[in-house]
Amino acid sequence: MPITNSEFPITNSQLLITNQLINYTLHLADNTLILAQQNSEWCGHGPILEQDIAITNISLDLLGQARNFYQYAAELINQSTSQPINLLTSQPATEDTLAYLRDNREFRNCLLVEQENGDWAKTILRQFVFSNYQYLLYEKMQDSKDEALRAIAEKALKEVIYHLKWSSEWVIRLGDGTEESNQRINKAVIELWPYVDELFINAAYESALISNNISVDVASLKNLWMQKTKEIFAEATLGIPENIFAHKGGKQGMHTERLGYILAEMQFLQRAYPNSVW
Amino acid sequence: MSMQLHDFENSFQQKVDAEIKIEPKDWMPEAYRKTLIRQISQHAHSEIVGMLPEGNWISRAPSLKRKAILISKVQDEAGHGLYLYSSCETLGITREETINDLNSGKAKYSSIFNYPTLTWADMGAIGWLVDGAAILNQVMLCRTSYGPYARAMVRICKEESFHQRQGFDILLTLSRGTDAQKAMCQDAINRWWWPSLMMFGPKDSESTNTDQSMKWKIKRKTNDELRQQFIDMCAEQVKILNMHLPDKDLKWNTETQHYDFGEIDWSEFWNVVKGNGPCNKQRLEARRKAHEEGEWVREAAAAYAEKRKSRASAGNLEAA
């Protein structure tokens, strides 16, 4: 006997889960896209040719992850009976409508990734903080009940292992390099530390999906993250700041002013020439 | 003594004539070495400076797919720069010296990169025309007489043909798009066509290096031969785009079986070579800035490597 919708009606709670899953997937996508966008600014301007290639590679990996998440989010949105997120066009959602036609209040990336590149030390430290988090996140996400998220995490984890290794080595090199490099990376630690805690505070869409084993409980990652950070910082002769006020809100769409400029630049062509194929 | 040198030169030329590759440890005339250093380093610098005009559009690429393709393309160019700096090192000049020559303005790079990238269509035009012109030159260089250069070229050519295709694909998409996109496409072709023709260098009658380079088989085709080949190719391909090349004298000549084309404005070419192109200052400035701002990073990496080495040897002593 065929299973029909009338026999198994979509309940309100299922709809709610789908909506939270869309938000969660967009959060994962936005994190990786914004960091990819920022890292790609180094392309052609790196301090050493080999490292120019390395940071650009990381940018490409993150962009690839973002595309996978956006494609999945678009699929969920198009299947869902609720209103499409993107009100600008009546077309179905795609990776590009999601990346290019949402405004900054709709972006759910953490504040860390929208912090400016600064010098090489700041870019390196931002990458280390994020890769260390992303490694733990994807490792757990491999056990997600959601098949698509699981598959993306499995594939991405291999990339992130390299990002974490590369950025850890650079944190050590700069921390234990010259006096100047030590000062610079210390400055980066002070500047970026206020944006660390947000990574480990579950947003509503994360909390809602934990009990179904869909999302990863990010609060549970913090100790392991700190353990790795301490290990690397010790080798880099760096201290870990204490009692730093933590900024948050990015995951709920409350961003720093900078995100508006990142999006203005990134979305320019899609906004200036609407409904065009590129 | 002079007799001996003469013998070396003869056996060198015999090798070249017999299509045997010259390798780093082989004897070679000093002028051959110098010509190669000049040419390979210019080529390497062109890859590195060439990252800038296209890098200019990475942040604004109009779709995620185009962004990914553009990033990997510009990254490929960095890789090409690396291969070429390495082949240059086999001739006895360090990468650092070579890069210093670029930053001081002593060494040249392809003048084409002194033109600005004003619209997204320029990413297409660069791929189709600039990479297209570069490929003709590079395919020829896969058979150049110096082994390391020829081998670097084989690797580079594989990637370059993908670059040219992606450029053409950008233009093809624009040419089938809205009126604004079509106009953008034609405008980019108009701006990049003549500078692309200049990429092959001065006319054979004006070229000072061609004869000797042909004899040494560094070059295997003259500037004019390559330029004609390029024009014949593009004049056909532009039809697929439903666009036109900005040359009223462009016409198929049944007698020569080639396209006739209009006069190239060589005064523009020499002006850009002399530093008066629209972006000469900005390109060099960007390279210098990256180099200067990277100084402390390179120092830190060297200092750390040194520390590790001395710790390791101290560790070995303790163990012993």
Side-chain angles (χ1 to χ4, degrees), chain B residues 32-213:
Chain B
Y32 177 84
R33 184 190 302 276
K34 280 201 176 129
T35 303
L36 276 172
I37 288 178
R38 182 178 53 82
Q39 187 173 329
I40 301 174
S41 66
Q42 269 184 23
H43 194 160
H45 299 327
S46 300
E47 297 283 356
I48 301 305
V49 177
M51 295 170 76
L52 299 170
E54 289 179 284
N56 185 38
W57 279 88
I58 287 176
S59 66
R60 291 174 291 170
S63 72
L64 297 181
K65 187 178 161 201
R66 292 286 183 208
K67 189 190 285 289
I69 294 172
L70 185 60
I71 293 176
S72 48
K73 180 185 181 222
V74 180
Q75 191 197 30
D76 280 350
E77 281 153 16
H80 297 173
L82 268 186
Y83 307 156
L84 289 164
Y85 284 128
S86 303
S87 9
C88 222
E89 285 189 317
T90 65
L91 292 159
I93 181 164
T94 65
R95 201 210 294 189
E96 204 187 356
E97 286 173 272
T98 315
I99 289 176
N100 284 342
D101 284 348
L102 171 68
N103 292 340
S104 73
K106 189 179 151 203
K108 295 268 180 276
Y109 55 87
S110 179
S111 279
I112 194 80
F113 301 119
N114 291 317
Y115 288 86
T117 51
L118 303 178
T119 71
W120 171 251
D122 291 21
M123 298 304 99
I126 289 183
W128 178 42
L129 297 174
V130 176
D131 292 329
I135 289 170
L136 290 186
N137 198 33
Q138 288 165 348
V139 165
M140 167 188 82
L141 289 172
C142 290
R143 299 193 299 125
T144 195
S145 56
Y146 187 57
Y149 192 25
R151 288 189 288 272
M153 277 303 137
V154 172
R155 292 176 71 179
I156 289 173
C157 276
K158 280 184 194 150
E159 293 174 351
E160 286 292 348
S161 59
F162 147 73
H163 294 175
Q164 197 199 11
R165 259 180 287 139
Q166 69 86 33
F168 194 77
D169 186 62
I170 287 173
L171 293 183
L172 193 60
T173 306
L174 292 174
S175 75
R176 291 169 177 171
T178 63
D179 287 349
Q181 287 177 306
K182 285 178 187 155
M184 197 187 273
C185 181
Q186 182 63 59
D187 170 62
I189 295 171
N190 293 349
R191 282 182 290 112
W192 290 94
W193 173 247
W194 291 103
S196 302
L197 296 189
M198 296 175 199
M199 283 176 71
F200 296 98
K203 282 186 189 175
D204 293 347
S205 51
E206 316 272 323
S207 173
T208 46
N209 302 318
T210 296
D211 285 351
Q212 185 61 68
S213 288

Side-chain angles (χ1 to χ4, degrees), chain B residues 166-273:
Chain B
Q166 69 86 33
F168 194 77
D169 186 62
I170 287 173
L171 293 183
L172 193 60
T173 306
L174 292 174
S175 75
R176 291 169 177 171
T178 63
D179 287 349
Q181 287 177 306
K182 285 178 187 155
M184 197 187 273
C185 181
Q186 182 63 59
D187 170 62
I189 295 171
N190 293 349
R191 282 182 290 112
W192 290 94
W193 173 247
W194 291 103
S196 302
L197 296 189
M198 296 175 199
M199 283 176 71
F200 296 98
K203 282 186 189 175
D204 293 347
S205 51
E206 316 272 323
S207 173
T208 46
N209 302 318
T210 296
D211 285 351
Q212 185 61 68
S213 288
M214 296 280 281
K215 187 172 173 235
W216 280 334
K217 298 196 176 178
I218 295 176
K219 277 174 91 158
R220 289 171 173 268
K221 285 180 179 174
T222 70
N223 296 353
D224 286 339
E225 283 170 345
L226 287 169
R227 186 164 21 240
Q228 185 67 58
Q229 194 183 343
F230 178 69
I231 292 169
D232 291 346
M233 191 178 80
C234 293
E236 289 303 316
Q237 290 172 344
V238 77
K239 294 177 187 168
I240 303 169
L241 296 175
N242 265 321
M243 298 280 146
H244 63 270
L245 298 172
D247 179 356
K248 59 177 173 34
D249 298 320
L250 189 78
K251 219 176 12 225
W252 179 250
N253 183 328
T254 48
E255 225 165 274
T256 60
Q257 291 290 300
H258 288 294
Y259 277 89
D260 290 338
F261 56 97
E263 194 56 40
I264 294 171
D265 179 3
W266 290 108
S267 66
E268 177 181 325
F269 174 76
W270 289 114
N271 255 319
V272 182
V273 170

Side-chain angles (χ1 to χ4, degrees), chain A residues 32 61-69 134 138 156 159-160 163:
Chain A
T32 43
D61 286 344
L62 292 170
L63 181 57
Q65 294 170 20
R67 292 186 66 191
N68 287 331
F69 285 127
Q134 221 186 14
Y138 287 166
E159 298 163 353
V160 174
H163 304 171

